[in-house]
Amino acid sequence: MPLPSIPPHPWDVSPEAAMAIQHQWRERVIREDYLGEIRTVAGVDVGFEDGGRVARAAVVVLDFSALEPRQKVLARKVVTFPYIPGLLSFREMPVILESLAQLSEWPDVLLVDGQGIAHPRRLGIASHLGVWCDIPTVGVAKSRLVGQHAPVEDRPGAWQPLYDQGEVVGAALRTRSGVKPVYVSIGHRVSLETALDLVMRCARGFRLPEPLRLAHQFASQFEKVQK
DNA sequence: GCGACAG
DNA sequence: ATCTTGTCGC
């Protein structure tokens, strides 16, 4: 299966322009299930080197049923945009797109380290990446950007809706007992219900779902070899 | 003005 | 995210 074409990216914009772009793209996000059978799931994680001047993106594609790695790719790129809460995609998407371009096969769904629509303008990096590449994505963040939620039971699979401005924008999900919950939200073309189910099916006794855990691991192990 | 604030 | 070793706890 050929890779979808990826549009050229105007990432070198001002924070003001970036916000305007988010307002423009938010309506393209599809919040319902619009995906086929899931055979492969991928996780993408971004790390930094050289004091934050260089970004490193790692993508690991795994077999959904066995959760075994099928392909791992890596990309590095000089950072051009600062870290500003709410504008993460403008900092990390360039290097992520370069890593995705190396894949020989597109995954059926992509788990992204960050928020989906659980974002002030409903276009977190998972959603931005999803609509940009037109692929199903799910946002899985280790901490909260916006919204509030009731305490989550300390039991794997337990979750509570995340509310922001009167609407459910995601969920705080306990992937395993004894650890802080992760924040799951719709990225693109995947409903929240499916997203939660997907993340739990990828849970392997760790806080982070296997695709993201392995992507993070792959990136850091490379960090050492490189150093 | 003060506090919050994905990675 | 990153700078950083050992250490407390299940």
Side-chain angles (χ1 to χ4, degrees), chain A residues 113-137:
Chain A
D113 188 10
Q115 314 291 348
I117 64 172
H119 177 278
R121 289 166 296 283
R122 306 293 183 263
L123 194 79
I125 188 167
S127 296
H128 199 167
L129 184 60
V131 296
W132 193 265
C133 300
D134 193 28
I135 56 170
T137 59

Side-chain angles (χ1 to χ4, degrees), chain A residues 1-208:
Chain A
M1 196 185 296
L3 295 175
S5 59
I6 298 176
H9 43 266
W11 306 113
D12 297 312
V13 297
S14 66
E16 296 67 34
M19 289 180 72
I21 290 174
Q22 293 181 325
H23 277 118
Q24 178 188 338
W25 283 71
R26 60 177 295 171
E27 55 199 63
R28 304 200 195 188
V29 176
I30 294 176
R31 304 185 178 196
E32 292 82 46
D33 289 320
Y34 196 75
L35 68 175
E37 183 186 348
I38 301 176
R39 292 176 176 155
T40 59
V41 194
V44 57
D45 179 70
V46 176
F48 296 87
E49 309 168 4
D50 193 28
R53 285 186 283 277
V54 176
R56 160 181 18 78
V59 178
V60 176
V61 181
L62 18 184
D63 182 82
F64 184 52
S65 57
L67 290 184
E68 287 298 318
R70 277 193 179 183
Q71 182 177 28
K72 301 180 178 182
V73 297
L74 207 75
R76 301 172 72 222
K77 199 175 198 308
V78 171
V79 175
T80 61
F81 200 90
Y83 169 67
I84 299 174
L87 299 180
L88 183 66
S89 61
F90 289 84
R91 177 175 171 78
E92 304 191 343
M93 260 175 65
V95 69
I96 289 178
L97 293 175
E98 284 197 1
S99 63
L100 291 176
Q102 296 175 39
L103 293 178
S104 57
E105 192 176 327
W106 211 245
D108 295 317
V109 62
L110 179 63
L111 267 45
V112 184
D113 188 10
Q115 314 291 348
I117 64 172
H119 177 278
R121 289 166 296 283
R122 306 293 183 263
L123 194 79
I125 188 167
S127 296
H128 199 167
L129 184 60
V131 296
W132 193 265
C133 300
D134 193 28
I135 56 170
T137 59
V138 172
V140 180
K142 298 182 292 298
S143 61
R144 184 192 62 83
L145 174 61
V146 297
Q148 45 279 143
H149 64 84
V152 185
E153 279 185 82
D154 190 25
R155 162 179 58 80
W159 62 275
Q160 285 294 327
L162 178 65
Y163 295 96
D164 181 51
Q165 302 292 124
E167 77 169 316
V168 176
V169 295
L173 171 69
R174 191 84 66 181
T175 50
R176 63 157 291 183
S177 58
V179 300
K180 293 185 299 182
V182 293
Y183 293 84
V184 177
S185 58
I186 290 173
H188 183 54
R189 292 167 54 174
V190 181
S191 67
L192 180 58
E193 301 67 54
T194 298
L196 289 167
D197 180 56
L198 228 84
V199 171
M200 281 315 292
R201 289 201 198 195
C202 288
R204 272 296 183 267
F206 297 93
R207 180 158 94 116
L208 290 180

